[in-house]
Amino acid sequence: MGLAAPAAAESDALAEDLLDLSINDLLNVQVTGAAVRDLGLQVPAQTGNPFRWRAQQIAASVESIDHDTMQARGLNNVIEAAENLVGVLSGDSPAEPHSFSMRGFSRDSINVLHDGISVGIATLNTRPQGTYNLDRLEIVKGAATLQHGQGAAGGSINLISRKPLFGSGTVAEAIVEYGSFDSSMLGLGLSASSSDRSAYRLDVSRTASAGYVEDADSESINLTGAMHWRPGADTTLKLSINLLDDELPAYWGTPLVPRSVARDPLSGVVRSGDGWVVDAATRRNNYNVDDHAIRSQSLLTRLDIERDGAGGTRWEAAVYGYTADRDWRNAETYRFNPSTGRVDRDRLLVDHRRDLHGLRAGVVQNHVLGGRDNRWSVHLEYSDNDFRRLVGFDADNPEPFVDSVDLFNPHLGLFGDVDVRSDRLRATVAALVLEDAWQFDPRWRLDLAFRQEWLSIDRERLNFAGQPIARSVIDRQFRETAYRVGIQHQWNDLLSVYGHVSRQHDPVESDLTEVFVAANFEPSDLRQVEVGMKALLDDAGTELTAAVFQAEKRQRIQLADRSFRSNEQGSQGLEIAIRSNLTEDVRLGGSLAYTDTMLDRYYDAVYERVVDGARPINVPEWMGSVWFSVNRVGGLPIEVGGGVHHVTDRFGDSANTTILEAYTLTSAFVAYAKDRLRIALTVRNATDEVYAPWSDATYPDQILLGAPRSYELSFQAKF
């Protein structure tokens, strides 16, 4: 049977293989060799995949990094894990924690999902989740999936929690890590199943760090749990929760200063149009207030029902609820003032409350059309998103600055009092999603997908007197159509080629920020064309993927003077990934991504300037990485490995006056693993490179610096 043939039986076989694992197999720590990431071509994707095709059978770029690889590489948070995938750049600004850049687009043009559920735009909702509670992190590149809520130009990142296995017995596990900057991680997991009728899993993890910058402590506690129950042979009920409580490091960046002021000006980190630099003497300074706050609590609950009917029919439904409270009270802007020689600071208060409820239900059917296998699915989606926000700053000050501190010895001080105003947004989305896959030839398959979406947007922003800001008010309904047309050719059992064209729109909550007169808002328009190949070589000892893409985003906006213009961004590029077992004990993997992108016509609404022809911020032209691992070194249960990751120059502002220079990061590990125990020592940024990984678009006068060299010792055991 070729790989383009029906996948349901193959997926079931993979599940049966898992159930056939003995208790001893489950108890063994099985991460040897996992540091070199499998491309997962033979694993069914869980994102935008109603037919449960294996990744090689999907006519789009789908990538994943699984739990074992994240542990083997010592990747303790989603930021680190995502950057190990092809062409993904991550940022960790506390204003927008865990932001991403892919295929020329960033921030809210990346949809972050939790087990397939979108909880709102990334800049307001993504938090620093650890990886211990995740089974895998999966990405669908570009505007290619029509499920899981509204689309996104760059792609969708799905954080998939660990799940129980039926018939697996009881397995407990623990991992303890400690490293530089007083960083620590504790993870505890318990999975149990006494029969093929019920199973549950519970995972809890805590990560904490003092940070390499002064007064930048952070902590995150994540509890995930799932219970699966089979009341009958054809029906499965699944109940899951995801509870996250965190406090972010209060580091908003290091201020740029004139070279004449710097005691130890850093070269090779940032170039600015006015010649200002980062001073190594201030690298570990924190300019935030002493009583800063960056706290969040969120809870996602979900109930799934799945029933297998006659004739290859599967009925499925899910209902979910999500609540989140978030609190910022900080001095966030740090601007060096040449006339005083001090750093001017602002104050900003933000409180978020988000309540989201939704459901998804549908049917998947396998049948025959024209004598060939044909699959179709129909799904209905509905979500009700209620977002309320308080924003506070000094309303009477024409400049944002409240006080100033010494550049080299900042006295932190207190937050104080600010004026407060409120915002609210109510967004409901109802959608009908149709997909069809027709195997019209033994080696050719046609994929069609259609999404009809009805959106209702009700937004109001109040001024400090409690009155609506006229141009910010919108109460409108939209009807949007999205589609994808794809074709796949199975060249042989090991090689497939594909292509697709798609149309979507970016999240409307994000696009609203780009308009001055909200009542005239129209959703954006996304187009993507992609052609690629996926191959298994050397009896699956080598996996290879390659894709070329072209994407375009257009949005009609109205400026303050009520004139209209079209914001347009184009992007095109190439992505390649490989994993190969050179010998039984030696594995090698690598990736390369090239992105050519431009803001063809663009008005920056934040800074009120035209930036036609500029390159978007946080988008490198080239990214590449290489990883290797060698097992059974000297005939002992010892594994060594490491990797090199390179990122070229990026722009730090929309006017392209600030350049974040290229950097190369090297990491390495050595591990002892036998039976139920694994002990590993990991070093990150082994060359102690000083670099700027990300720019926060709202803070152009300060630079977020990456962490220096660090070490980590970990112990992992199963019982």
Side-chain angles (χ1 to χ4, degrees), residues 485-597:
V485 179
I487 192 165
Q488 188 200 46
H489 175 61
Q490 195 65 44
W491 199 275
N492 53 45
D493 287 352
L494 300 176
L495 172 65
S496 62
V497 295
Y498 68 88
H500 76 246
V501 296
S502 61
R503 178 186 180 187
Q504 286 186 352
H505 65 85
D506 251 6
V508 295
E509 186 178 352
S510 171
D511 281 342
L512 268 170
T513 64
E514 298 294 327
V515 302
F516 279 90
V517 183
N520 295 302
F521 168 76
E522 296 290 340
S524 57
D525 185 45
L526 308 178
R527 308 291 177 105
Q528 176 175 277
V529 178
E530 180 179 323
V531 177
M533 60 82 67
K534 304 174 184 181
L536 292 164
L537 309 172
D538 305 326
D539 295 325
T542 298
E543 295 177 291
L544 176 65
T545 64
V548 293
F549 66 88
Q550 184 176 49
E552 182 180 81
K553 176 180 176 179
R554 294 184 179 180
Q555 184 185 4
R556 179 174 175 264
I557 66 171
Q558 187 171 14
L559 309 183
D561 63 2
R562 298 191 178 276
S563 64
F564 288 91
R565 68 169 286 153
S566 176
N567 273 1
E568 300 177 4
Q569 178 181 350
S571 181
Q572 56 190 359
L574 165 70
E575 298 167 343
I576 301 173
I578 189 171
R579 186 273 304 164
S580 182
N581 298 345
L582 302 182
T583 70
E584 183 179 355
D585 295 320
V586 180
R587 289 164 59 95
L588 181 68
S591 66
L592 183 67
Y594 168 77
T595 305
D596 178 18
T597 183

Side-chain angles (χ1 to χ4, degrees), residues 600-616:
D600 302 301
R601 284 172 44 84
Y602 207 86
Y603 181 83
D604 184 343
V606 176
Y607 291 99
E608 302 182 10
R609 60 192 179 196
V610 174
V611 291
D612 294 352
R615 187 177 178 90

Side-chain angles (χ1 to χ4, degrees), residues 256-265 274-279 336 338 407-408:
L256 293 168
V257 298
R259 181 174 290 273
S260 60
V261 172
R263 295 178 178 176
D264 184 9
D274 53 15
W276 287 28
V277 298
V278 174
D279 188 354
F336 180 77
L407 173 65
F408 299 104

Side-chain angles (χ1 to χ4, degrees), residues 251-273:
Y251 169 60
W252 252 266
T254 301
L256 293 168
V257 298
R259 181 174 290 273
S260 60
V261 172
R263 295 178 178 176
D264 184 9
L266 289 171
S267 60
V269 179
V270 58
R271 300 196 307 272
S272 65

Side-chain angles (χ1 to χ4, degrees), residues 93-145:
S93 166
E96 301 171 359
H98 286 206
S99 295
F100 302 96
S101 171
M102 296 189 300
R103 293 195 167 184
F105 300 91
S106 62
R107 304 177 73 231
D108 294 327
S109 287
I110 312 297
N111 196 10
V112 180
L113 311 171
H114 296 264
D115 286 309
I117 295 173
S118 174
V119 298
I121 58 175
T123 54
L124 298 182
N125 297 281
T126 307
R127 301 301 294 185
Q129 181 164 336
T131 57
Y132 176 79
N133 299 63
L134 298 181
D135 175 73
R136 64 181 54 243
L137 185 151
E138 191 170 84
I139 294 181
V140 177
K141 297 288 189 66
T145 177

Side-chain angles (χ1 to χ4, degrees), residues 228-538:
H228 294 185
W229 178 46
R230 287 176 175 166
D234 300 326
T235 304
T236 303
L237 302 179
K238 304 175 183 178
L239 177 65
S240 61
I241 63 168
N242 188 333
L243 175 65
L244 180 64
D245 189 307
D246 65 78
E247 184 160 0
L248 292 166
Y251 169 60
W252 252 266
T254 301
L256 293 168
V257 298
R259 181 174 290 273
S260 60
V261 172
R263 295 178 178 176
D264 184 9
L266 289 171
S267 60
V269 179
V270 58
R271 300 196 307 272
S272 65
D274 53 15
W276 287 28
V277 298
V278 174
D279 188 354
T282 66
R283 181 182 180 188
R284 296 177 186 263
N285 286 356
N286 194 336
Y287 298 89
N288 207 335
V289 293
D290 192 46
D291 57 343
H292 57 73
I294 318 175
R295 296 183 292 261
S296 172
Q297 301 85 35
S298 64
L299 174 64
L300 174 63
T301 58
R302 174 172 176 168
L303 174 65
D304 288 81
I305 303 174
E306 189 174 297
R307 180 175 177 81
D308 293 325
T313 302
R314 184 177 77 252
W315 300 87
E316 53 192 16
V319 293
Y320 58 88
Y322 176 79
T323 60
D325 288 290
R326 300 191 171 104
D327 179 19
W328 283 262
R329 282 170 174 79
N330 301 277
E332 300 184 3
T333 300
Y334 318 134
R335 181 179 298 175
F336 180 77
N337 188 333
S339 63
T340 65
R342 295 171 65 84
V343 176
D344 295 335
R345 305 188 305 180
D346 68 349
R347 298 291 191 275
L348 182 61
L349 176 153
V350 181
D351 283 343
H352 287 179
R353 171 71 184 189
R354 188 178 292 274
D355 292 286
L356 170 69
H357 300 87
L359 62 88
R360 184 174 186 270
V363 58
V364 181
Q365 172 71 58
N366 305 335
H367 67 106
V368 175
L369 176 66
R372 300 290 185 183
D373 180 79
N374 187 74
R375 296 157 187 263
W376 56 262
S377 70
V378 179
H379 285 88
L380 298 174
E381 296 180 4
Y382 177 80
S383 66
D384 185 343
N385 197 338
D386 187 5
F387 176 64
R388 297 178 183 272
R389 178 174 68 168
L390 291 177
V391 180
F393 51 88
D394 186 357
D396 296 325
N397 191 345
E399 293 290 338
F401 306 112
V402 173
D403 63 1
S404 62
V405 294
D406 187 81
L407 173 65
F408 299 104
N409 297 290
H411 175 68
L412 300 184
L414 300 178
F415 183 82
D417 297 321
V418 294
D419 301 305
V420 177
R421 65 174 182 82
S422 64
D423 298 342
R424 66 172 182 84
L425 171 70
R426 185 73 176 270
T428 60
V429 180
L432 170 67
V433 185
L434 309 176
E435 297 203 29
D436 185 88
W438 182 34
Q439 194 77 40
F440 64 90
D441 179 87
R443 297 197 177 277
W444 289 90
R445 191 183 76 233
L446 177 66
D447 291 344
L448 302 174
F450 172 83
R451 178 184 176 95
Q452 187 67 61
E453 190 173 79
W454 294 266
L455 302 100
S456 176
I457 306 297
D458 182 5
R459 190 189 78 171
E460 182 180 65
R461 290 184 171 178
L462 305 182
N463 59 26
F464 290 97
Q467 302 299 316
I469 302 172
R471 71 183 186 186
S472 72
V473 175
I474 180 173
D475 186 1
R476 291 183 58 193
Q477 290 74 45
F478 303 94
R479 187 173 69 178
E480 291 293 307
T481 300
Y483 63 81
R484 185 188 69 250
V485 179
I487 192 165
Q488 188 200 46
H489 175 61
Q490 195 65 44
W491 199 275
N492 53 45
D493 287 352
L494 300 176
L495 172 65
S496 62
V497 295
Y498 68 88
H500 76 246
V501 296
S502 61
R503 178 186 180 187
Q504 286 186 352
H505 65 85
D506 251 6
V508 295
E509 186 178 352
S510 171
D511 281 342
L512 268 170
T513 64
E514 298 294 327
V515 302
F516 279 90
V517 183
N520 295 302
F521 168 76
E522 296 290 340
S524 57
D525 185 45
L526 308 178
R527 308 291 177 105
Q528 176 175 277
V529 178
E530 180 179 323
V531 177
M533 60 82 67
K534 304 174 184 181
L536 292 164
L537 309 172
D538 305 326

